[in-house]
Amino acid sequence: MTLQDYRNDIQRCSRCSLCKWLPLAQIKSWRFANACPSMVWGNFHAYSAGGRMIAALSLLDGRIDYTDKLVEIVYQCQMGGACDVSCKVNRDLDPLEVMLELRAKCVEDGQVLPAHMVMIESLRSDDNVLGELKAERGKWAEDLDVKDITKEKADVLYFAGCRYSFDQDLWKIARDTIALLKMAGVDVGISGKEEACCGGRAFEIGYRGEFTKYAEHSIETWNAADVRTVVTSCSDCYGAFKFHYPRIGKKMNFEVLHITEYLDRLIKEGRLKPTKKVPLQVTYHDPCHLGRLSEPYIPWEGVERKVLGQVVIKDPPKEYRRGTNGIYEPPRDVLRSIQGLELVEMERIKEYAWCCGAGGGVMEAYPEFAQWTADERIEEAKATGAEALVTACPWCERSFRDALEHNGAKIKLYDIVELLLEAL
Ligand code: SF4
Ligand code: SF4
């Protein structure tokens, strides 16, 4: 698809502004009623999904040209898709797809951000988006007794992703994950320094060529190695496998599970038994890429026809993703399996969750905006009275750690894996 393919959708945007807010029935307080970080931070309609729809149409029609402001409007957005969920409460439109295509058009037209070019250069030279050396990938597991699937077969491939591979502060979580899998008797392997970026971030910032290269690489490598199950604890990678990989049309002969799904399965099968008490009141942050953005991609092929001389319909009708089929219960079930631990919910949860701030290349290009977005989520977590904020994604973890360091908020932060390990 291209931006042009969404022209009719864009023209059906009624400028109702519903994409800025949670759906009415989901609002519990005025304080946490916003859905769109970009809109609140930018404080102008152009920074909402509806605003970007108008900008996209104006570009297509040649009524506006690129300016620094327009480029900022396009990229100052985490692509977390809360707008998409809210818009679809009222009408079948795909504002998130439009914004993804708008970014691809910007890249095609050479309208890119220096911070994003740094990420892409790092991909081209070292297969990661963090500016690190390829040779250092896999160091997080150096002294772990874990199989190397490039040399021997394993039932499960653990995919660490760029953030866990290179963010040393987070290595413990990846190592804890391997420990948990081994305790459950899982035959697990990793690809060490042969692992490469999933390509998801490249897709989000509009670099389709790089995305396709990495998606093809992953699928072809794992199909050839006869990998049956890929488990990742990075929600961004998981979202890429589910939402973006199907777009390139290559058959994936393996199942992909997020670590929370897999751990939930292992607990329910009795292979992990959390028997130790962890007396803690926690609240859980749904990572966008594990929630609404992990809802599988639904391909549509058909034609758009005009009926009654004006209304454009899709033939056959298109099925829409509405965010409801993300991974919401497995992480909560893992938490509920821990004795002594109490889960209290924030106001914006599941498909209505507020973003952590890190996504869509915002952490790299607009760090202040990313930090404010995380600050907002921490405020919401604190409002529950919980002692700890728990998440299941290294990008959220990084974003919250940075925010806590700067705002000094008194709330503990955990990855779900750390709590489960404590309970065993
Ligand atoms: S994108 Fe959807 S919710 Fe936003 S203004 Fe347009 S129609 Fe309304
Ligand atoms: S993806 Fe997130 S930040 Fe971007 S317009 Fe939608 S709700 Fe706002």
Side-chain angles (χ1 to χ4, degrees), residues 19 35-39 47-49 52 77-84 96 99:
C19 49
C36 174
S38 175
M39 178 60 216
Y47 290 90
S48 68
R52 293 188 185 93
C77 156
Q78 281 101 351
M79 308 302 272
C83 49
D84 202 72
L96 181 60
M99 295 192 297

Side-chain angles (χ1 to χ4, degrees), residues 48 73 75 140 172 244 247 260 282 291 305 307 318 331 336 376 403 418 420:
S48 68
I73 286 165
Y75 290 109
W140 65 272
K172 177 185 170 293
H244 302 320
R247 296 167 195 257
T260 56
V282 305
R305 286 195 293 111
V307 293
K318 183 174 169 175
R336 286 184 197 113
E376 282 291 292
E418 298 174 285
L420 182 59

Side-chain angles (χ1 to χ4, degrees), residues 13 38 92 96 116 127 163 233 258 267 280 282 313 346 399:
C13 168
S38 175
D92 283 341
L96 181 60
H116 291 176
D127 292 335
R163 179 55 70 184
S233 33
H258 186 259
I267 292 167
L280 196 68
V282 305
I313 59 153
M346 285 184 268
S399 194

